[in-house]
Amino acid sequence: MTHRSAGVRPTHLSADYVVVGSGAGGAIAAAELARAGARVALIEAGAWRQPQDLPHSILGTFGATLDQWGVSITRGRALWPIVQGRAVGGGTVVNSAIIVRTPADLFERWSSELGIDGLADAVWAAQDEIEAELEVGPTQPDQLGRHNALALAGAAAAGYPSHPTVRATPGCAGAGTCLQGCRRGHKRSADLVYVPQVLDAGGWVLSNAPVRRVLVQGGKAVGVAGRFIDPITGRPGGTFRVDADKAVILAASAAHTPTLLQRSGVRHPALGEGFRAHPGTTSFGIYPDPVDMVQGASQGWASTAFRTDPGYKLETLSMPPELVAGRLMGGGKALVDRLAAYRHMACFVVGIRAESVGTVRAGWGGAPVVRYTLDRADMERARHAIWTLARTHFAAGAEAVVPGVVGLPYSLGPDQVDRILQASLDPRHWVAILSHLFGGAVMGADPQRAVCDPRGRVRGVRGLLVVDAAVIPSNLGVNPQHTIMALSRTFTRRLLEEGA
Amino acid sequence: MRWILTRAMQAFFPHTDALPGLAEEAAHAHLDRLDAEAPLLFRLGLIAGALAFTLSPLLTVGLPLPSLWLSAERLDLHADRAASHPLYLYKMLIFTLKMNAGLAWGAQDQVRRALALAPLPPDPRTTLAGEVTP
Ligand SMILES: Cc1cc2nc3c(=O)[nH]c(=O)nc-3n(C[C@H](O)[C@H](O)[C@H](O)COP(=O)(O)OP(=O)(O)OC[C@H]3O[C@@H](n4cnc5c(N)ncnc54)[C@H](O)[C@@H]3O)c2cc1C
Ligand code: SF4
């Protein structure tokens, strides 16, 4: 037996390496170690769902694959949801599998500001390999659907470059349900690509197994401990303990890795600091003809034309009616009347390359508490972004745009687009979510300012590594999965070299 | 409490000429599932939102009555104003109610049919639970 889940009996295992979290960072690290012949235990808080077991409904998605049922929120000026995967495969199960290579300017910034050198070539080489493993390719014309095609045409008419997204979804049928996970198995998520490699090599996978703490003895990480939970009801089951002869590798995400370190008694002045995100918000266009935005790839269009100035990226997003119902303003008949235009709506989204910095700390019961508020400069980026999106909608032929900011009219016509430039900059007047998270246990050369060294090793504890988004010391301005996977592979290879 | 919850949820998605509203059975099915599966915090958020909605018509339509006693027109106005109220924490409580109501409303077969979408089959459970080798 190599996969154990939700057991009621106490479980005690021993491995060379224990990897906590099976998302973008964790699964690839575990596979790398297993392929090198090490005994590996991969431990995941969420359930393991085969593609055919993925939910159809959004409520089912909340329960089956999202952390804290999708309702953990930032504390700060505004309460914004933090959306993360919680399943074998982590965020890669529910994300849109958009793959973007790490831009060179990031390595330059990390080198000059944080003393992190020698990463670029290794990360890019890993990205070459990962792109082949995930069968990455551009969204094909027949996968776009009208939704993404409108965005492409709108951007061209508005005069800025954009492209069909490059994704890890070979054979995508354009079902537009990436957020619920791909029931057709077209998404090359970590649970389908890397986790099986761990099992094939004789490693262990524990699911429904949230690690409570890392066990540290004599300044060295020696294992992890926790208690299984029932995948449906969340009720606690038996305890588990997994000993690590060589190292414990953390990849529980930017929200959970820092808090796991805190719960485990790791002390460092920068632990929980440096939390960052790409907050995302939406702009709906209302078109004369039906768009049917859930037909076509969920996120088949993107533009990075504004990544460095003013600092945001643009994408499409297929939103099912269950979510649009909560997103549009108002209630009662007014709201249902607005929803009557659903088939004519296209949803464009922005991810703000925010420079604002927050904190993540273990709160009541050890759960992460994220304090985070966007400053004025970031809110100006957000405002500029929804203005660009509105112009894109109109250039694509929309009759009206729903900007979704309190203080602006519910919808604007083409001659009113500049009113967006007067929109409030108070985060409370905006609805946004955080799904690209970074930091909390950042890497860097300065032992005081960085929890991890530039190889991901936690300072002050031997045999403890961080290989997920928590280690990333800045925003990226591009989708993070590829960078996280390649950093993880790089750190894991360096760990194996050290061991050898 | 069930009655208060379903009434509050339905107030956000009434039947209109263009689209079906949130049916009572759909609201119950949603709440049954939350009772069986959702974490306590999720359920408490919904209850707090429903109570805030039920007890606050004074804030929105100037009437010191629970929303259960409002006429259909007043209830509709209450739902619309509550969802965009300037008191941020109140609005966020109302949002938890509206979000839940929206999840239940948008998953209904009649609504999906009206929006040219196929009905949603029942959600499967994970088959990889217990002590198994996949
Ligand atoms: C809806 C959505 C769409 C996205 N779209 C894209 C996209 O198209 N392209 C892209 O590049 N990025 C995308 N992202 C972001 C990307 O998925 C994340 O940045 C990435 O998955 C983060 O990787 P990670 O390893 O840090 O954490 P995760 O992938 O979140 O994995 C962490 C895992 O650790 C588990 N865990 C947490 N605590 C514990 C514990 N105590 N014990 C055991 N396990 C634990 C979690 O359950 C989770 O499975 C998207 C994210 C979301 C939510
Ligand atoms: S768009 Fe649909 S078919 Fe394509 S990968 Fe996403 S869920 Fe699968």
Side-chain angles (χ1 to χ4, degrees), chain A residues 136-150:
Chain A
V136 169
T139 304
Q140 297 301 312
D142 61 343
Q143 297 164 337
L144 283 174
R146 181 148 194 261
H147 185 210
N148 298 304
L150 281 171

Side-chain angles (χ1 to χ4, degrees), chain A residues 27-54:
Chain A
I28 203 165
E32 192 72 27
L33 294 163
R35 283 203 311 258
R39 291 177 305 138
V40 178
L42 176 59
I43 308 192
E44 167 55 51
W48 195 343
R49 294 206 169 225
Q50 306 288 54
Q52 72 274 12
D53 294 339
L54 288 164

Side-chain angles (χ1 to χ4, degrees), chain A residues 281-286 293 319-348 393 400-406 408-411 429 431, chain B residues 12-13 19 79-85 91 94-95 97-99 101-103 105 115:
Chain A
T281 191
T282 54
S283 161
F284 294 98
I286 299 176
M293 66 170 134
M319 259 215 208
E322 296 116 291
L323 289 178
V324 178
R327 175 65 182 95
L328 297 186
M329 289 189 178
K333 284 204 162 75
L335 174 60
V336 180
D337 283 343
R338 287 166 182 168
L339 285 161
Y342 175 79
R343 291 195 62 201
H344 293 251
M345 288 180 183
C347 176
F348 298 169
H393 278 303
V401 159
V402 179
V405 182
V406 172
L408 290 176
Y410 169 73
S411 70
H429 293 155
V431 177
Chain B
F12 277 87
F13 295 93
L19 286 171
D80 195 33
R81 291 187 180 165
S84 344
H85 200 275
K91 188 174 83 171
I94 299 297
F95 176 72
L97 169 65
K98 177 177 156 183
M99 179 194 74
L103 292 174
W105 174 82
L115 301 176

Side-chain angles (χ1 to χ4, degrees), chain B residues 30-55:
Chain B
H30 181 89
L31 294 171
D32 286 346
R33 185 151 180 201
L34 294 193
D35 285 347
E37 299 177 16
L40 184 65
L41 212 60
F42 193 96
R43 284 180 283 151
L44 286 179
L46 171 59
I47 291 170
L51 287 177
F53 180 78
T54 307
L55 300 175

Side-chain angles (χ1 to χ4, degrees), chain A residues 3 5 9 48-49 52-58 60 69 71 78-79 232 294 322 325-326 328 330-333 343 428, chain B residues 11-12 14 33 38-39 42 76 80 83 88 92 95 98 103 115-117 121-128 130-132:
Chain A
H3 169 239
S5 161
R9 289 182 290 124
W48 195 343
R49 294 206 169 225
Q52 72 274 12
D53 294 339
L54 288 164
H56 299 274
S57 73
I58 294 293
W69 274 60
V71 291
L79 308 174
I232 305 294
V294 291
E322 296 116 291
L328 297 186
K333 284 204 162 75
R343 291 195 62 201
R428 287 192 170 181
Chain B
F12 277 87
R33 185 151 180 201
F42 193 96
D76 202 51
D80 195 33
Y88 186 66
M92 293 311 285
F95 176 72
K98 177 177 156 183
L103 292 174
L115 301 176
L117 295 168
D123 285 333
R125 305 248 152 158
T126 169
T127 48
L128 291 180
E131 299 189 354
V132 289

Side-chain angles (χ1 to χ4, degrees), chain A residues 21 23-25 44-45 83 86-87 90-91 95-98 211 251-252 468-469 479-481:
Chain A
E44 167 55 51
V83 182
R86 186 184 185 88
N95 75 16
S96 298
I98 299 171
V211 170
D468 62 8
N479 310 65
Q481 164 177 338

